[in-house]
Amino acid sequence: MAKITLQNLRQSYYPNPSKDEDYALKRVHLDWEDGGAYALLGPSGCGKTTLLNLISGLLVPTEGKILFDGKDVSHASPEQRNIAQVFQFPVIYDTMTVYDNLAFPLRNRGVAEAEIDKRVKDIAEMLDLSKTLKNRASGLTADGKQKISLGRGLVRSDVNVIMFDEPLTVIDPHLKWQLRSKLKELHQRIRRTMIYVTHDQTEALTFADQVVVMNNGEVVQTGTPIDLFEQPRHTFVGHFIGSPGMNVLPCEVKGGKASFAGNSVAAANAAQAAGKAARVELGVRPEFVSIAKSGIAADVVKVTDAGRYRIIETKVSGHSIKLLVPEGDAVPEGRIHLNFDPAHTQVYEDGWMAGARPGEPS
Amino acid sequence: MSKRHIVLIVYIVFLMLPIYWLLNMSFKTTNEILGGFSAYPREFTLDSYRTIFTDPTWYNAYINSISYVAINTVLSILVALPAAYAFSRYRFLGDKHLFFWLLSNRMAPPAVFVLPFVNLYSAVGLFDTPWAVALSHTLFNVPLAVWILEGFMSGVPKELDETAYVDGYSFPRFFIRIFLPTISAGIGVAAFFCFMFSWVEMLLAKNLTSVAAKPIVAAMTKTASTSGYELGLLAAAGVLTLIPGAVVIYFVRNYIAKGFALGRV
Amino acid sequence: MNKTFNNRAWFLVIPVFLMVAFNALIPLMTVVNYSVQESFVANEYFWSGIRWFGELLRNPDFQSSLWRQVIFTGVVLLIQIPLGLGIALCMPKSGPWVSVCLVLMALPLLIPWNVVGSMWNIMALPDIGLLGKGLNSLGIPYNYTRQPAAAWFTVVLMDVWHWTSLVVLLCYAGLVSIPDAYYQAAKIDGAKPWAVFRYIQLPKLKHVLTIAILLRFMDSFMIYTEVIVLTGGGPGSTTKFLSIDLVQKALGGFDLGPAAAFSIVYFLIILALSWLFYTLMMQSETK
């Protein structure tokens, strides 16, 4: 188990990178505490798999350092770093039995057979694989095989960190939540550092204590799921997390006060707006927009039923604003008035929350 | 340089040596060749090549060969395309048996067919024409083409066909305009294999022709036996037969790995 | 693929069926016909049942040819399959050199078979050929036109030169299709290179190796042109393999009966052994 530090990490797949675009990872500077459950969340191509492979040692960093418990492991092999990785599709040794699959990493390290037997049986019990130990690994279902992949990482008692690269991709939807709960349960039990990479916000938000949101090779925000939801530091986080995503509207800030479409809007951080940005926007989640007797005048355009609530899409001066009303409430029509909850309304300058320093997410 | 590189280089050198030797001899006079061993031509000469390009028996032989190979490739592909489509999209009475029967023909030794083919093609009056050779080669090429094309076609989802029908395409138009471009790689691979087998085969090509349609493979063996060993000429003729093959590989070089997977690996 | 049942698909298949039937069924029927008949005078045939088959199988000449063929195919498979696999393992996974290697390796596969035979024929000549002169100057008495051992050596070497690349190309295609994640997982598990080969590469190459073995078995069992041009079946009949024997008999102009029986037995042997190989290799597959 180890604390992992990423110092000024930059990664490029080109031999001679010159400009920012050549870098898959532009700059990552992060700490991962020992024993935590982390998620790396971001859209395809944002660099999360690159980051994962850098931590596991399958890639050597172009610039910067990786430290395990203060020791520089940037050039150490995966074996030396003592990590485990579960891939997008189950990676198992088809010709071996489940038992032999789990025993494989220990046998390669010369562990005594008696010890191996104990560890394998322990892990199999933890993962509900005990009944299948004697079977050929290739005969299991996809989720069984992923458990074997996971098991191979867990058998080694000295594993520093376990990494998951979108592990539920090939699992049947109705089994996904089962496996997810299992992972969470495992983490509570063994308290090893786990890093879970995904583009699915549900997976990330349910598994992790801390979520690292990435976009375009940079870390945009780190925080608990609640933090990310309530205080998105970047409009991207606002868009990406939450369904539907945050409403982002162009606004003006004058004298510490924000205004949108001619209406004055109370925003939590309006006073901190530096005023030098090219693009000034207002962000408020649909959950925090409510219908009031007076406020911003809006025309209802569409009402979508999402089960336990309804999504109401309105238009104000050509801009779309979404809000949620609980099931059972009257469905508004025509012209209504909207109110933004001031505590959850933020001003964003060039995408970043006003008052927060970009590049130092925390 | 690692061990792997050395192994690769040794292997490729091993492959290139006989080809180099052939080239070497093609630029020597027969006298020089018979006179002794030399790694390069002491008296460089283009005589052998000159003979081949000016003597009708020689260059006609090349033309004959190219003819039947081209006819065979086109014919095999044309005939295999609808069949492969049928195997890929439909189940029908006897489909599995038909498929296996087709493949079993690939296992037939040409030696078994030499005599029957001579009789057969004489009987239909095609003996000593490129058609005889082209048609006889289809016995082996058509099953292979069907197998390869079916593999590629199965990779194209049926939804494509259904969408086209909904859009109002008739089957022929759909097949030519939409389907074929999708499997163009497969057609390339199948054509490559048809060309390859037809170009290199000798037993049938030689015995189904005599004078009018004599292909290069027969002309060359004649040289070795009748006029004594005209080695220089033989070598030059051999070098020239390498060219079509080299050209074809060059064009499909990007598909070679994929093609050898026969679309199924 | 969800195939629909439709017998009208037969229309699409008719051209292929006709073409192959014309080339396969008619000749085969003729061959079967001849194989069970006997003629003393031209154009007069008598039923002779399995007489030709019996005589053939008891014929020591046939037995020798068959035996030689089996040894040849065995030796060739034993060399080409491991060698081809080994070379494929040495190939780089990607990069500019891959095409170059593949193109150069494919060249021997596209040379007309008689040219292959001629190339080696001349190259192996004791006094003036690269191979012949080379071996003799090393002190090894080598003359493939006189010594059976030398003839066998040359024939095997020629076939290895000619066909190993097919195995390389097939195995390479198989290797390249193994996802990186397997190698990464093996690294993480601390697996040694031999374990990677045994537990990851070899199992994943099973399909491709089956194709390679089947193809090489069939084609080497049918070999004709290269050998006839190189040695003519000699010296004597020491390199007379099955096809050569058959063609001699069939085109020799004598009784068609025995030649026809030979053909059928030959074809059946290949079919049976191919089926055997295929079943054996598929059996150990659990899917």
Side-chain angles (χ1 to χ4, degrees):
Chain A
M1 295 194 274
K3 172 177 155 131
I4 304 175
T5 311
L6 305 174
Q7 270 183 359
N8 296 312
L9 218 48
R10 275 158 76 74
Q11 185 69 12
S12 172
Y13 288 110
Y14 296 105
N16 289 316
S18 45
K19 36 191 185 1
D20 249 6
E21 290 83 63
D22 293 339
Y23 284 89
L25 280 182
K26 298 195 175 46
R27 186 179 165 276
V28 176
H29 194 85
L30 276 180
D31 282 331
W32 311 79
E33 292 305 324
D34 195 0
Y38 294 94
L40 255 184
L41 179 63
S44 303
C46 70
K48 48 193 200 295
T49 304
T50 306
L51 188 56
L52 199 72
N53 286 337
L54 278 168
I55 299 177
S56 61
L58 294 167
L59 280 177
V60 176
T62 314
E63 277 175 45
K65 286 204 226 161
I66 303 172
L67 309 171
F68 277 29
D69 274 339
K71 226 175 66 170
D72 188 348
V73 297
S74 316
H75 294 273
S77 72
E79 209 185 332
Q80 291 166 325
R81 296 188 201 195
N82 249 323
I83 51 104
Q85 189 160 337
V86 179
F87 298 87
Q88 255 175 351
F89 54 88
V91 173
I92 55 167
Y93 302 103
D94 292 307
T95 49
M96 298 190 210
T97 59
V98 175
Y99 184 96
D100 288 328
N101 258 277
L102 295 173
F104 191 61
L106 296 176
R107 290 201 175 121
N108 286 331
R109 285 172 169 78
V111 176
E113 275 303 316
E115 172 73 20
I116 294 183
D117 194 65
K118 186 167 149 318
R119 300 278 319 156
V120 168
K121 296 220 168 89
D122 269 347
I123 300 297
E125 196 254 306
M126 246 196 262
L127 293 169
D128 296 328
L129 287 173
S130 308
K131 291 205 192 67
T132 57
L133 277 179
K134 293 269 183 317
N135 299 358
R136 260 194 119 151
S138 50
L140 267 61
T141 53
D143 62 308
K145 290 183 184 172
Q146 277 296 45
K147 285 201 225 162
I148 299 180
S149 285
L150 177 56
R152 280 208 318 275
L154 294 173
V155 272
R156 292 149 44 206
S157 44
D158 53 352
V159 150
N160 279 325
V161 56
I162 306 178
M163 289 177 290
F164 302 88
D165 191 352
E166 314 212 36
L168 301 184
T169 309
V170 296
I171 312 290
D172 282 338
H174 68 276
L175 288 173
K176 270 198 224 249
W177 76 263
Q178 233 182 51
L179 206 45
R180 237 171 35 216
S181 328
K182 188 92 207 161
L183 290 178
K184 186 88 184 149
E185 179 198 314
L186 267 173
H187 180 256
Q188 314 281 30
R189 218 165 132 176
I190 62 176
R191 284 275 145 209
R192 304 260 174 86
T193 317
M194 289 188 181
I195 305 179
Y196 190 109
V197 166
T198 179
H199 59 267
D200 183 316
Q201 48 170 316
T202 322
E203 284 176 27
L205 299 175
T206 50
F207 173 78
D209 301 326
Q210 285 272 324
V211 179
V212 176
V213 181
M214 286 184 70
N215 188 28
N216 231 341
E218 292 180 289
V219 175
V220 177
Q221 183 167 359
T222 322
T224 64
I226 310 268
D227 280 345
L228 292 174
F229 189 80
E230 303 217 332
Q231 304 278 334
R233 294 184 76 250
H234 193 284
T235 49
F236 172 76
V237 179
H239 275 309
F240 198 72
I241 297 193
S243 182
M246 184 168 80
N247 293 304
V248 176
L249 309 162
C251 75
E252 279 175 4
V253 178
K254 278 204 189 66
K257 289 236 189 318
S259 64
F260 161 68
N263 300 295
S264 176
V265 178
N269 62 343
Q272 288 144 321
K276 293 195 216 90
R279 195 174 83 235
V280 185
E281 288 159 322
L282 207 56
V284 58
R285 288 200 180 277
E287 287 84 350
F288 300 116
V289 177
S290 49
I291 305 178
K293 295 212 179 50
S294 63
I296 303 173
D299 295 308
V300 174
V301 170
K302 193 160 77 166
V303 178
T304 319
D305 196 320
R308 276 178 285 133
Y309 53 86
R310 289 203 189 89
I311 305 173
I312 311 212
E313 189 179 333
T314 65
K315 269 233 171 357
V316 178
S317 308
H319 299 288
S320 162
I321 303 184
K322 293 200 179 88
L323 65 142
L324 303 179
V325 293
E327 186 184 35
D329 269 18
V331 176
E333 276 175 15
R335 174 147 288 213
I336 55 175
H337 291 91
L338 302 175
N339 223 342
F340 297 168
D341 179 357
H344 292 102
T345 310
Q346 321 277 0
V347 171
Y348 291 89
E349 299 180 300
D350 284 332
W352 292 95
M353 192 157 82
R357 264 167 303 151
E360 286 262 340
S362 195
Chain B
M1 227 184 343
S2 66
K3 258 195 299 195
R4 303 170 132 214
H5 291 131
I6 298 185
V7 169
L8 272 181
I9 293 182
V10 166
Y11 180 65
I12 293 189
V13 166
F14 167 63
L15 291 184
M16 294 297 112
L17 268 180
I19 297 180
Y20 165 74
W21 192 247
L22 197 67
L23 262 173
N24 184 17
M25 284 197 305
S26 70
F27 292 119
K28 293 182 183 177
T29 62
T30 305
N31 282 332
E32 185 187 337
I33 299 176
L34 291 174
F37 172 89
S38 58
Y40 59 89
R42 296 280 155 78
E43 282 169 29
F44 188 92
T45 172
L46 288 175
D47 277 346
S48 306
Y49 288 102
R50 214 167 282 135
T51 314
I52 297 182
F53 283 115
T54 51
D55 183 350
T57 26
W58 280 106
Y59 61 72
N60 275 331
Y62 284 104
I63 297 179
N64 287 331
S65 287
I66 303 260
S67 311
Y68 69 68
V69 170
I71 297 177
N72 173 274
T73 303
V74 168
L75 211 55
S76 299
I77 302 279
L78 273 182
V79 151
L81 276 172
Y85 184 79
F87 282 117
S88 164
R89 270 31 183 170
Y90 298 107
R91 286 182 350 257
F92 48 91
L93 203 59
D95 56 0
K96 283 207 175 49
H97 301 95
L98 186 64
F99 199 68
F100 285 128
W101 172 68
L102 280 180
L103 285 186
S104 72
N105 289 302
R106 173 65 178 76
M107 299 189 213
V112 163
F113 288 91
V114 168
L115 190 52
F117 273 173
V118 171
N119 291 335
L120 179 63
Y121 286 101
S122 306
V124 296
L126 285 177
F127 184 79
D128 203 19
T129 66
W131 289 94
V133 186
L135 284 171
S136 68
H137 283 173
T138 62
L139 175 63
F140 312 99
N141 275 343
V142 163
L144 192 60
V146 169
W147 190 39
I148 296 178
L149 286 170
E150 196 267 332
F152 276 90
M153 288 185 184
S154 295
V156 178
K158 248 178 115 178
E159 284 71 38
L160 185 72
D161 313 17
E162 285 156 13
T163 317
Y165 297 144
V166 165
D167 283 348
Y169 279 85
S170 64
F171 179 68
R173 231 178 116 219
F174 151 73
F175 200 74
I176 298 178
R177 285 289 193 80
I178 301 185
F179 198 65
L180 289 190
T182 327
I183 52 156
S184 56
I187 298 184
V189 171
F192 170 74
F193 278 99
C194 287
F195 167 87
M196 180 175 140
F197 177 80
S198 198
W199 178 249
V200 301
E201 203 274 335
M202 187 202 88
L203 182 55
L204 293 176
K206 182 168 172 212
N207 287 299
L208 287 173
T209 57
S210 66
V211 179
K214 197 211 301 277
I216 187 62
V217 292
M220 285 181 68
T221 46
K222 198 162 179 289
T223 306
S225 49
T226 54
S227 40
Y229 274 97
E230 282 241 28
L231 290 176
L233 195 53
L234 193 65
V239 168
L240 288 176
T241 63
L242 297 180
I243 297 181
V247 167
V248 169
I249 309 178
Y250 180 74
F251 275 117
V252 300
R253 68 189 181 285
N254 291 324
Y255 294 108
I256 284 187
K258 204 201 294 187
F260 271 87
L262 300 177
R264 284 156 174 263
V265 166
Chain C
M1 174 94 50
N2 203 357
K3 302 192 195 182
T4 44
F5 188 87
N6 187 349
N7 277 331
R8 288 196 318 177
W10 264 100
F11 285 115
L12 292 172
V13 166
I14 296 253
V16 158
F17 181 76
L18 286 180
M19 190 155 262
V20 177
F22 175 72
N23 278 310
L25 292 181
I26 301 181
L28 276 181
M29 280 183 341
T30 328
V31 169
V32 170
N33 200 15
Y34 281 128
S35 73
V36 289
Q37 294 187 341
E38 189 174 337
S39 78
F40 295 112
V41 180
N43 290 328
E44 272 184 39
Y45 289 92
F46 304 91
W47 174 264
S48 63
I50 56 168
R51 173 160 169 224
W52 298 129
F53 292 95
E55 275 188 21
L56 178 77
L57 294 171
R58 283 191 293 269
N59 185 337
D61 260 355
F62 172 75
Q63 288 169 1
S64 317
S65 295
L66 181 57
W67 186 232
R68 274 179 228 123
Q69 179 70 71
V70 168
I71 298 189
F72 174 71
T73 296
V75 167
V76 149
L77 278 176
L78 275 174
I79 298 180
Q80 289 177 1
I81 303 290
L83 181 60
L85 179 55
I87 298 198
L89 287 169
C90 292
M91 290 269 301
K93 273 202 122 170
S94 60
W97 289 106
V98 171
S99 313
V100 174
C101 283
L102 291 178
V103 166
L104 288 177
M105 287 189 197
L107 212 45
L109 296 173
L110 286 148
I111 305 182
W113 294 344
N114 67 311
V115 178
V116 172
S118 298
M119 278 165 91
W120 282 85
N121 185 320
I122 305 173
M123 213 173 77
L125 287 173
D127 296 325
I128 56 177
L130 184 61
L131 179 68
K133 183 94 172 136
L135 283 178
N136 281 313
S137 62
L138 282 177
I140 310 171
Y142 170 82
N143 187 340
Y144 73 92
T145 53
R146 300 260 169 82
Q147 306 154 340
W152 269 81
F153 169 73
T154 318
V155 166
V156 169
L157 189 61
M158 172 180 69
D159 200 76
V160 166
W161 178 88
H162 190 187
W163 289 108
T164 305
S165 291
L166 182 64
V167 182
V168 175
L169 287 168
L170 278 168
C171 290
Y172 181 70
L175 277 176
V176 146
S177 68
I178 301 179
D180 270 341
Y182 281 90
Y183 295 108
Q184 291 170 341
K187 232 176 166 179
I188 293 174
D189 284 342
K192 311 273 184 315
W194 169 251
V196 170
F197 175 70
R198 184 170 163 208
Y199 295 116
I200 297 180
Q201 291 173 318
L202 206 52
K204 298 244 168 265
L205 285 177
K206 195 173 212 164
H207 182 69
V208 155
L209 278 174
T210 310
I211 299 182
I213 294 179
L214 269 178
L215 279 180
R216 284 313 305 137
F217 163 73
M218 285 180 342
D219 289 344
S220 73
F221 219 78
M222 302 190 226
I223 197 169
Y224 177 78
T225 309
E226 301 97 301
V227 179
I228 202 93
V229 174
L230 177 60
T231 63
S237 46
T238 48
T239 55
K240 187 159 74 168
F241 301 125
L242 278 178
S243 276
I244 299 179
D245 198 354
L246 174 56
V247 173
Q248 266 179 9
K249 292 196 163 65
L251 297 184
F254 301 131
D255 231 337
L256 299 173
F262 193 141
S263 299
I264 296 191
V265 170
Y266 193 4
F267 199 172
L268 284 177
I269 297 181
I270 298 191
L271 274 177
L273 286 175
S274 300
W275 179 84
L276 195 65
F277 263 126
Y278 183 76
T279 324
L280 278 178
M281 296 228 61
M282 288 297 119
Q283 223 178 41
S284 33
E285 218 169 69
T286 46
K287 249 303 165 74

